[in-house]
Amino acid sequence: MGDLVIENLSKKFKKGDTEFLALEDINLTVRSGEFVTILGPSGCGKTTLLRIIAGLETYSSGTASLDGELITGPGPKRGMVFQEYSLFPWKTVLGNVMFGPLMQGFSKKEAEEKAMSYLNLVGLTEFKNSYPYELSGGMKQRVAIARALANEPEIILMDEPFGALDAQTRNNLQNELLRIWQEEQRTIIFVTHSVDEAVFLSDRIVVLSKRPGKIKKIIEIPIQRPRDRTRPAENAVRNEVLRLLDTNTNCEID
C-alpha cells in the first residue's frame, strides 16, 4: 500500500453564472496506515475534499494520487462510510456486506466468507440475517464499516460517521474503530466537527480555514494510545485546535 498525495489542489463550484472557490491550494500527504482527521468550520470544504479523494467529485486544478496513480473516479482502493449509513434497506446485514465482494467478482461462497469475517470483526455475526430497520444507529454504522472493509480498500474515508449518534454510542464506536484500524492496518481519513473526537482518534489533525478551505495547520499528535480525554497532554492538543478554530467564523465545535 502506498501514500495518498494531494498537490496544489483547488476546487471551484459554479451556481448559475456565479463561480466560487471551495478549496484552495491543498497540499497533503497521508502515509499508508495513518489515521488522519480533517477538521474545520461548516462550509470549509471538508466533505468536498473527502469526495475528491473518493473519486466522487472532480477537482479544478492540482493533482490527487494514490500509489502514484491519479485519482480520476471511484475505485476499489478507496472505501467510503457516510454519516447517514446508506445501507440497502432491502438487503440483510450479510447481504449488505457481501455486496462489494460480489461486485468484484468473488463467488457467493467467497463473498459470504469475507463478509462473515468482517461482521465478526465489528461484532455483528449474530445479526447477519437482520435488516437495517431492525438495527440501532450504532449497529447500522458498524455494518457500514464492515461493508467498506469487505472491499479491502487501502483507504477508508469517513464523513462524520458518528455525528448522528448519542454521546455514549459515539464514544464506544470511537474505541471500536481504533481497535479495527489497529487490527486491519488500513489508512483512515476521517471528517468530523468534534475537536474531542479528532484528538482522541488521530495521528494527525488537518485544520482547514473558512471557505475557501485552505490548510491552516497540520497538528501531529505524539500521544500513545489508549488515550485519556482528561489528561493534560490531550487537553493541550485540544486547546491548540480550539485556538486555531477560534480565528474562523461559523465554526461548529463540540
Side-chain angles (χ1 to χ4, degrees), residues 9-13 19-26 43-46 48-49 52 60 208-214:
L9 186 142
S10 295
K11 171 64 179 178
K12 292 179 181 177
F13 283 103
E19 200 173 59
F20 69 90
L21 194 58
L23 293 167
E24 184 176 11
D25 198 28
I26 302 294
C44 73
K46 299 184 297 296
T48 298
L49 180 56
I52 286 171
S60 305
L208 296 183
S209 69
K210 63 182 181 179
R211 196 182 78 203
K214 303 176 183 178

Side-chain angles (χ1 to χ4, degrees), residues 121 178-185:
L121 186 67
L178 285 175
R179 176 184 62 80
I180 292 166
W181 169 68
Q182 287 166 335
E183 286 187 29
E184 288 288 302
Q185 298 185 330

Side-chain angles (χ1 to χ4, degrees), residues 1-235:
M1 293 192 290
D3 296 345
L4 171 75
V5 180
I6 298 171
E7 294 181 306
N8 306 317
L9 186 142
S10 295
K11 171 64 179 178
K12 292 179 181 177
F13 283 103
K14 195 169 185 179
K15 285 188 177 179
D17 296 328
T18 305
E19 200 173 59
F20 69 90
L21 194 58
L23 293 167
E24 184 176 11
D25 198 28
I26 302 294
N27 288 277
L28 175 66
T29 296
V30 179
R31 298 179 290 271
S32 177
E34 194 174 15
F35 198 127
V36 171
T37 296
I38 302 171
L39 195 65
S42 292
C44 73
K46 299 184 297 296
T47 294
T48 298
L49 180 56
L50 206 67
R51 288 176 60 83
I52 286 171
I53 297 168
L56 300 173
E57 193 79 61
T58 58
Y59 41 92
S60 305
S61 61
T63 59
S65 61
L66 178 61
D67 297 338
E69 297 178 5
L70 284 177
I71 294 171
T72 57
K77 292 183 178 180
R78 287 152 288 137
M80 191 97 172
V81 178
F82 301 92
Q83 180 177 349
E84 62 274 11
Y85 317 126
S86 65
L87 301 177
F88 299 126
W90 62 90
K91 288 184 179 290
T92 63
V93 165
L94 180 60
N96 267 280
V97 182
M98 285 176 62
F99 180 78
L102 287 173
M103 291 298 99
Q104 291 179 13
F106 287 94
S107 70
K108 186 176 179 181
K109 181 182 178 184
E110 290 170 329
E112 183 169 349
E113 287 174 353
K114 195 180 289 285
M116 288 303 298
S117 167
Y118 286 109
L119 285 175
N120 182 58
L121 186 67
V122 300
L124 286 176
T125 51
E126 64 186 291
F127 295 94
K128 67 178 183 178
N129 295 321
S130 300
Y131 287 87
Y133 75 88
E134 299 175 293
L135 306 178
S136 68
M139 292 166 73
K140 288 177 186 175
Q141 205 56 293
R142 286 172 188 250
V143 177
I145 292 168
R147 187 174 66 176
L149 288 169
N151 293 320
E152 299 188 338
E154 292 186 19
I155 298 179
I156 304 290
L157 304 165
M158 309 187 81
D159 188 9
E160 297 192 66
F162 307 147
L165 303 174
D166 65 86
Q168 184 177 352
T169 303
R170 186 170 185 158
N171 286 350
N172 289 341
L173 280 182
Q174 288 168 7
N175 284 307
E176 284 295 296
L177 180 61
L178 285 175
R179 176 184 62 80
I180 292 166
W181 169 68
Q182 287 166 335
E183 286 187 29
E184 288 288 302
Q185 298 185 330
R186 299 188 193 280
T187 308
I188 293 180
I189 303 176
F190 189 104
V191 163
T192 183
H193 273 115
S194 170
V195 175
D196 178 79
E197 188 166 63
V199 173
F200 185 73
L201 292 174
S202 316
D203 292 321
R204 290 189 296 159
I205 300 173
V206 179
V207 182
L208 296 183
S209 69
K210 63 182 181 179
R211 196 182 78 203
K214 303 176 183 178
I215 295 178
K216 287 193 81 170
K217 189 171 183 179
I218 299 175
I219 299 172
E220 300 265 356
I221 306 181
I223 304 170
Q224 288 189 339
R225 297 178 177 91
R227 292 176 183 162
D228 183 335
R229 301 172 200 269
T230 63
R231 283 188 311 201
E234 282 84 344
N235 284 329

